[in-house]
Amino acid sequence: MAIIKSPLSKGARKVTGAALQGALADLVDLSLVGKQAHWNVYGRNFRSLHLQLDEIVDAARLAADTVAERAVTIGLSPDGRAGTVASDTGLPAIKDGQLTDSDVIAYFVDAYAGVIERMRARVDETAEADPVTQDVLIGITGELEKQYWMLQAEQG
């Protein structure tokens, strides 16, 4: 029996929970690959990209926390464990070892495109089930789209 009672129906909670869990996996993974790239990037734009990757990580962690807390708010248990994130993420794998600045930018442009596509689908899925969660996801998607724009601008 859940300790936290939800104002949502069982069906609405199921739809909303799936959307939140999917978002959580993507956002936690985004923060992890952001740190991986941060540690391994090199090239002409190293300094600015190194700092930008910290911003990407911070934004992804904040968004993941917001998503997880929304799940708890509606009586669900978010799962951010490494194994769950690894199996549920939609992000492509990032190469190991050192990464050129242009490879890092290309990776993140591709990764953000996929995350945004999935987030927009989650926004649609939660429209009827839980407009409050939909609003949370809309805000996060807006921030992801801002980062996506900035990364694309770096490709020239």
Side-chain angles (χ1 to χ4, degrees):
M1 183 168 138
I3 295 170
I4 306 299
K5 304 292 185 217
S6 175
L8 302 178
S9 70
K10 186 175 179 179
R13 210 168 74 157
K14 182 177 179 180
V15 168
T16 303
L20 289 168
Q21 184 58 44
L24 182 62
D26 278 352
L27 293 165
V28 169
D29 198 22
L30 186 61
S31 74
L32 294 172
V33 295
K35 264 307 178 190
Q36 182 68 20
H38 171 87
W39 296 323
N40 289 288
V41 67
Y42 71 93
R44 173 177 228 136
N45 297 311
F46 164 79
R47 176 101 173 116
S48 62
L49 189 53
H50 185 76
L51 296 172
Q52 184 179 14
L53 287 164
D54 270 340
E55 293 172 8
I56 286 170
V57 169
D58 290 346
R61 286 179 177 166
L62 179 61
D65 192 54
T66 299
V67 164
E69 288 180 356
R70 179 66 193 154
V72 172
T73 299
I74 61 170
L76 301 171
S77 179
D79 190 348
R81 295 174 299 164
T84 303
V85 171
S87 69
D88 293 354
T89 186
L91 271 72
I94 192 167
K95 295 187 303 186
D96 64 345
Q98 294 183 335
L99 303 163
T100 66
D101 50 3
S102 60
D103 285 345
V104 168
I105 292 168
Y107 170 85
F108 278 95
V109 166
D110 182 50
Y112 268 87
V115 170
I116 290 166
E117 182 179 331
R118 290 185 297 281
M119 289 296 285
R120 284 182 163 269
R122 293 173 186 127
V123 166
D124 291 343
E125 292 162 5
T126 56
E128 190 173 320
D130 184 18
V132 175
T133 294
Q134 181 192 42
D135 186 55
V136 168
L137 296 175
I138 288 169
I140 291 169
T141 303
E143 181 59 33
L144 291 168
E145 289 178 354
K146 179 181 172 186
Q147 292 291 333
Y148 183 51
W149 152 60
M150 290 181 182
L151 288 160
Q152 290 178 80
E154 292 182 61
Q155 287 182 314

